């Protein structure tokens, strides 16, 4: 998600949606400068994560805070003589706020998807909307992360579960807190290792939420099979999603790939670097999409 494009313009936005009287409605914006109707989007700020930029831009242009769910097709075109990339996510509108009067937008409208497809001024916006319309309903969202950097195992003299984050790990935890906040979780869950709990500490302080320690997210103990831990973690994630709550979970590097393979039903590269993670969208207890942070 964070790959760079040399000399290009990076932007992000979203298909913000809400339930309407006749079904799902999506949000479009009108820009008088261009005389167009389009999906809300805007340029990334320096060093800003695309997912954070997408949520921020939707709020600033539409006065809607929305929770990101599924990555939609990326749009590429030329703007001001330079290549431009716009990353989009589907987003569930959950609250009002965030509007910035200095944006280019003078009108916002909510429409059924088919009407929105007809109104947008650009074919690429219509393609993004069509991809959104093809999605099954998203009923659960999980932000799943691996703990931050915690030095080298060989330099720690105590039990490995007590190994703490180092300076790099704490910086990663601070950055992750902003992404965790985007999904507006009702719960924060962690493996029992100290470095996992510490990784969620900044998010817990930001959101004023407790951290619940859940052993099913732990790495294998001596004599325990890795597959056993992966199955337990996958079952926990599916159950959390099926309950319909938005949650954030911190686990460990030997657990995440196997758990994600079981949820996805396929073998894939789910290797997760320290301080990295995934935005998971579910339909019931079935994984619909896994977007690498």
């Amino acid at each position: 998600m964070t790959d760079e494009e040399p000399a290009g313009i990076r932007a992000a936005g979203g298909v913000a949606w809400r339930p309407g009287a006749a079904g799902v409605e999506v949000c479009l914006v009108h820009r008088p400068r261009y005389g167009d109707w389009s999906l809300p989007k805007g340029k990334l700020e320096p060093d800003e994560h695309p997912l954070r930029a997408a949520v921020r831009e939707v709020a600033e242009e539409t006065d809607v805070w929305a929770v990101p769910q599924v990555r939609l097709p990326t749009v590429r075109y030329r703007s001001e003589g330079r290549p431009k990339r716009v990353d989009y996510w589907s987003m569930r509108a959950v609250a009002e706020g965030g509007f910035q009067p200095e944006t280019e937008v003078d009108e916002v409208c909510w429409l059924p998807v088919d009407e929105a497809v007809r109104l947008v001024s650009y074919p690429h916006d219509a393609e993004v909307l069509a991809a959104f319309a093809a999605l099954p309903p998203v009923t659960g969202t999980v932000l799943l992360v691996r703990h931050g950097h915690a030095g080298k195992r060989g330099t720690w003299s105590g039990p490995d579960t007590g190994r703490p984050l180092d300076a790099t790990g704490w910086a990663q935890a601070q950055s992750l807190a902003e992404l965790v906040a985007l999904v507006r979780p009702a719960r924060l869950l962690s493996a029992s290792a100290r470095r996992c709990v510490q990784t969620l500490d900044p998010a817990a302080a930001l959101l004023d939420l407790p951290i619940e320690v859940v052993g099913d997210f732990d790495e294998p103990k001596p004599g325990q099979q890795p597959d056993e831990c992966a199955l337990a973690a996958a079952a926990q994630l599916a159950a959390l999603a099926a309950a319909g709550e938005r949650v954030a979970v911190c686990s460990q590097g030997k657990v995440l790939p196997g758990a994600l393979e079981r949820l996805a039903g396929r073998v894939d590269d789910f290797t997760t670097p320290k301080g990295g993670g995934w935005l998971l969208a579910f339909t019931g207890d079935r994984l619909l999409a896994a977007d690498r942070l």
Side-chain angles (χ1 to χ4, degrees):
M1 180 189 296
T2 56
D3 50 310
E4 297 294 331
E5 297 197 359
I9 301 169
R10 290 296 303 273
V15 177
W17 68 273
R18 69 184 185 187
V24 169
E25 297 176 339
V26 296
C27 187
L28 300 181
V29 296
H30 181 262
R31 302 182 298 176
R33 176 183 176 185
Y34 303 102
D36 63 7
W37 284 96
S38 66
L39 295 169
K41 66 179 183 302
K43 296 177 183 177
L44 273 62
E45 295 177 349
D47 299 320
E48 186 176 27
H49 196 285
L51 187 61
R52 183 180 184 279
V55 174
R56 175 183 56 77
E57 285 291 341
V58 167
E60 289 179 358
E61 293 194 347
T62 69
D63 200 37
V64 167
W65 287 113
V67 171
Q69 296 178 324
V70 177
R71 175 183 272 275
L72 297 172
T74 295
V75 171
R76 292 177 171 86
Y77 55 93
R78 296 192 70 82
S79 175
E80 303 170 359
R82 299 166 61 194
K84 184 172 184 178
R85 166 180 169 162
V86 188
D87 296 309
Y88 288 100
W89 284 265
S90 66
M91 300 182 182
R92 172 70 161 90
V94 295
E96 294 182 350
F99 179 73
Q100 297 295 317
E102 66 270 16
T103 63
E104 299 175 322
V105 173
D106 70 341
E107 189 176 351
V108 175
C109 71
W110 290 88
L111 296 169
V113 179
D114 57 346
E115 293 183 29
V117 168
R118 292 193 294 269
L119 181 59
V120 290
S121 303
Y122 307 107
H124 56 72
D125 279 352
E127 292 170 4
V128 174
L129 284 166
F132 167 78
L135 291 173
V138 175
T139 58
T141 305
V142 177
L143 195 82
L144 177 64
V145 302
R146 183 182 177 186
H147 64 78
H149 199 272
K152 294 182 179 179
R153 189 183 299 246
T155 63
W156 175 251
S157 59
D160 188 63
T161 55
R163 183 156 48 97
L165 295 181
D166 59 17
T168 298
W170 278 112
Q172 292 171 325
Q174 292 288 349
S175 297
L176 282 172
E178 292 187 352
L179 299 182
V180 170
L182 296 179
V183 303
R184 298 188 170 221
R187 299 172 66 189
L188 302 177
L189 293 87
S190 173
S192 58
R194 182 181 182 188
R195 55 193 178 275
C196 294
V197 176
Q198 287 181 329
T199 297
L200 289 181
D201 273 344
L206 180 64
L207 300 169
D208 193 24
L209 287 173
I211 298 172
E212 306 171 41
V213 173
V214 179
D216 282 344
F217 296 121
D218 289 357
E219 284 186 338
K221 297 177 177 62
Q224 192 174 20
Q225 294 299 314
D227 282 353
E228 183 182 345
C229 293
L231 285 168
Q236 275 282 355
L237 292 168
L240 290 166
E245 288 185 318
R246 296 186 296 269
V247 299
V249 175
C250 183
S251 187
Q252 299 180 272
K254 294 180 181 178
V255 176
L256 296 183
L260 288 169
E261 284 186 357
R262 282 157 180 76
L263 287 170
R266 68 179 189 276
V267 176
D268 206 337
D269 181 14
F270 290 112
T271 304
T272 309
K274 293 173 182 176
W278 301 83
L279 176 65
L280 308 180
F282 290 80
T283 297
D285 63 357
R286 181 173 66 87
L287 182 66
L288 173 63
D291 180 26
R292 188 183 291 273
L293 298 177

